[in-house]
C-alpha cells in the first residue's frame, strides 16, 4: 500500500486559479518526501487536499488508501499536520494544549500527558511545559505545533514549512527529529520546504512543483540525470592557465565544469605546468539547489 497517492490531482479555486494541475505522485511508506517549489507553486494546496481541508476539482488523492475528501476523520487519525499558522490556545499551557489535542484524537488525559512530556523533551520544550502559550516565542510555538501533530502517533506527517521562524539550532533539531521519526519509527514524511540544503540532508525523494505542475520527481541521483550538468571542479590556486575554461568565484578560486573524474589529472597537470600552486581541489556533484535552479530556469526559458 502506498502512503500517498496522487492521481491526476487538480484544484482550481473559485476565482479560477488553477493551483494544482494534474499531479501524479506515489510515495511508499517510510519515505521522507521533499515537496519543493517557488512561492505559489501549489504545495500548501496539495497538503490541504491530502488532509481533506479542500476537495479536488479533478483527479483524486489518497493517504494509505483513504480518500481524505470522503473520509476526513479516518485520514486525520493516520496523519499529523504542521502548517505555518497552527491554531492553539494562548491561555493554556504547552502541556494543556497537548492534552486538549490528544483528547480530540481519543487519547485519555494521562496518555496525552505521558506522550506530551516525551515530545516536549525531544523538542527541548520541557522547561516551558507549564508556561502559557502566550509567553512562547515563534520558534517555541512552531516546535509545540510539531508536538501537537505527533500526539496521536500518526503514520504520516505533513510538514508545511516546519522550520520557518526557527533559529538555526532549533531548525537543525527539528530536522534531526524528522529524520529520526522516519528512520526509527517508520513514519512517512511529506515535507514542503524552501530550505534546500536541509532537504538534501533529510529527504529520500523529491517532487519539484511550479505553477501547479510537477516538473520532476525522484531521488537526488535520478534528478541529477535530468540536469546533464556533470560535476563541478572547485579549485583554489595561485594561477591557472588561460586556456582552461572556468569561472572565477573569488580571488584564487575557480570552478571548472567537468563531465567525469577522468578529466581531473589533466587539469591539475596543466595548472602545475603553467607555474600555478594548488591549495585545494574538489569535485562536487550538482546539489539539490543546483538541480532546483536548473529545472525551474529551464521551465521559464522554454
Ligand atoms: N483560497 C484561495 N483562493 C484563491 N487562490 C488561492 C487560494 N489559496 C491559494 N491560492 C493560489 O493558489 C496558488 C498556489 O498557492 P499555494 O499556497 O498552494 O502555494 P505554495 O506552493 O504553498 O506557496 P508558498 O511557497 O508561498 O507557501 C497561488 O497562486 C495562490 O495565490
Ligand atoms: Mg505554502
Amino acid at each position: 500500500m502506498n502512503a500517498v497517492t496522487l492521481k491526476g490531482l487538480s484544484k482550481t479555486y473559485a476565482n479560477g486559479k488553477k493551483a494544482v494541475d494534474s499531479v501524479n505522485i506515489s510515495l511508499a511508506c517510510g519515505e521522507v518526501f521533499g515537496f519543493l517549489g517557488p512561492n505559489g507553486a501549489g504545495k500548501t494546496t496539495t497538503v490541504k487536499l491530502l488532509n481533506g481541508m479542500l476537495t479536488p476539482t479533478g483527479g483524486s488523492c489518497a493517504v494509505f488508501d483513504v480518500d481524505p475528501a470522503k473520509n476526513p476523520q479516518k485520514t486525520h487519525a493516520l496523519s499529523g499536520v504542521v502548517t505555518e499558522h497552527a491554531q492553539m490556545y494562548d491561555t493554556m499551557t504547552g502541556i494543556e494544549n497537548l492534552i486538549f489535542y490528544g483528547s480530540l484524537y481519543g487519547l485519555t488525559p494521562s496518555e496525552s500527558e505521558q506522550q506530551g512530556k516525551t515530545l516536549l523533551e525531544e523538542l527541548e520544550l520541557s522547561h516551558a511545559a507549564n508556561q502559557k502559550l502566550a509567553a512562547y516565542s515563534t520558534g517555541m510555538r512552531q516546535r509545540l505545533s510539531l508536538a501537537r501533530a505527533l500526539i496521536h502517533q500518526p503514520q504520516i506527517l505533513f510538514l508545511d514549512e516546519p522550520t520557518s521562524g526557527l533559529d538555526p539550532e532549533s531548525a537543525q533539531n527539528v530536522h534531526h527529529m524528522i529524520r529520526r521519526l522516519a528512520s526509527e519509527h517508520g513514519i512517512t514524511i511529506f515535507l514542503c520546504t524552501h530550505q534546500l540544503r536541509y532537504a538534501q540532508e533529510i529527504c529520500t525523494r523529491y517532487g519539484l512543483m511550479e505553477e501547479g505542475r510537477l516538473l520532476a520527481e525522484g531521488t537526488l541521483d535520478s534528478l541529477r540525470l535530468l540536469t546533464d550538468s556533470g560535476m563541478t571542479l572547485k579549485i583554489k590556486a595561485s594561477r591557472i592557465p588561460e586556456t582552461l575554461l572556468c569561472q572565477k568565484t573569488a580571488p584564487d578560486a575557480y570552478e571548472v565544469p567537468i563531465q567525469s573524474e577522468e578529466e581531473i589529472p589533466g587539469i591539475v597537470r596543466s595548472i602545475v605546468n603553467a607555474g600555478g600552486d594548488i591549495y585545494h581541489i574538489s569535485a562536487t556533484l550538482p546539489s539539490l539547489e543546483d538541480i532546483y535552479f536548473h529545472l525551474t530556469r529551464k521551465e521559464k526559458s522554454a
Side-chain angles (χ1 to χ4, degrees):
M1 191 200 309
N2 282 333
V4 173
T5 313
L6 273 59
K7 275 192 197 153
L9 184 69
S10 302
K11 176 70 187 178
T12 305
Y13 283 108
N15 63 359
K17 174 75 201 176
K18 197 161 201 176
V20 177
D21 187 0
S22 311
V23 173
N24 295 301
I25 296 174
S26 296
L27 289 185
C29 299
E31 298 270 20
V32 181
F33 185 65
F35 202 41
L36 318 171
N39 293 136
K43 305 178 297 294
T44 298
T45 304
T46 305
V47 167
K48 287 181 176 170
L49 289 163
L50 282 164
N51 284 282
M53 291 154 78
L54 291 172
T55 45
T57 47
S60 64
C61 59
V63 176
F64 293 103
D65 286 353
V66 179
D67 182 334
K70 293 194 182 122
N71 207 336
Q73 260 176 325
K74 209 167 168 189
T75 314
H76 293 159
L78 294 164
S79 318
V81 189
V82 177
T83 58
E84 271 182 281
H85 309 288
Q87 279 293 314
M88 284 186 287
Y89 294 95
D90 266 5
T91 51
M92 297 194 324
T93 66
I95 192 75
E96 284 167 355
N97 267 286
L98 295 182
I99 293 170
F100 171 74
Y101 282 100
S103 74
L104 298 185
Y105 290 108
L107 271 66
T108 65
S110 68
E111 282 169 342
S112 300
E113 188 171 0
Q114 201 183 355
Q115 169 74 351
K117 280 185 173 161
T118 310
L119 288 166
L120 289 176
E121 198 171 329
E122 277 199 69
L123 289 158
E124 296 178 14
L125 278 176
S126 295
H127 65 284
N130 297 313
Q131 263 178 35
K132 290 220 175 3
L133 195 61
Y136 275 42
S137 71
T138 308
M140 290 162 77
R141 275 169 191 268
Q142 194 68 357
R143 281 179 280 154
L144 190 70
S145 74
L146 185 54
R148 184 192 92 159
L150 289 165
I151 194 78
H152 61 303
Q153 299 182 299
Q155 293 183 40
I156 181 163
L157 199 52
F158 293 94
L159 302 168
D160 197 355
E161 293 293 337
T163 51
S164 68
L166 295 193
D167 63 46
E169 196 183 340
S170 305
Q172 198 168 46
N173 282 345
V174 168
H175 286 115
H176 286 158
M177 186 165 172
I178 294 171
R179 196 165 19 198
R180 232 181 14 254
L181 287 166
S183 62
E184 291 172 20
H185 303 276
I187 297 180
T188 307
I189 311 277
F190 193 103
L191 168 70
C192 303
T193 185
H194 294 292
Q195 302 196 9
L196 302 178
R197 285 192 197 151
Y198 278 127
Q200 184 171 340
E201 277 177 35
I202 62 174
C203 297
T204 53
R205 293 188 83 77
Y206 306 89
L208 177 52
M209 291 284 283
E210 189 164 59
E211 295 185 5
R213 287 180 306 112
L214 186 69
L215 291 185
E217 193 261 336
T219 61
L220 189 58
D221 283 341
S222 68
L223 293 179
R224 276 179 176 140
L225 293 176
L226 298 176
T227 67
D228 59 70
S229 55
M231 289 186 257
T232 302
L233 193 61
K234 292 186 177 171
I235 303 170
K236 192 167 181 229
S238 59
R239 106 156 75 130
I240 64 165
E242 279 169 18
T243 48
L244 197 60
L245 278 180
C246 69
Q247 199 185 350
K248 190 166 183 170
T249 53
D252 294 346
Y254 306 88
E255 287 188 5
V256 184
I258 55 170
Q259 287 309 315
S260 82
E261 286 177 350
E262 315 278 296
E263 295 172 50
I264 299 174
I267 292 172
V268 169
R269 268 196 298 275
S270 72
I271 296 171
V272 173
N273 290 343
D277 290 325
I278 299 175
Y279 304 111
H280 179 86
I281 187 158
S282 64
T284 54
L285 287 165
S287 65
L288 185 63
E289 196 167 44
D290 296 332
I291 293 166
Y292 178 97
F293 285 119
H294 180 93
L295 293 174
T296 51
R297 275 187 202 132
K298 192 162 122 192
E299 185 68 11
K300 283 204 175 70
S301 61

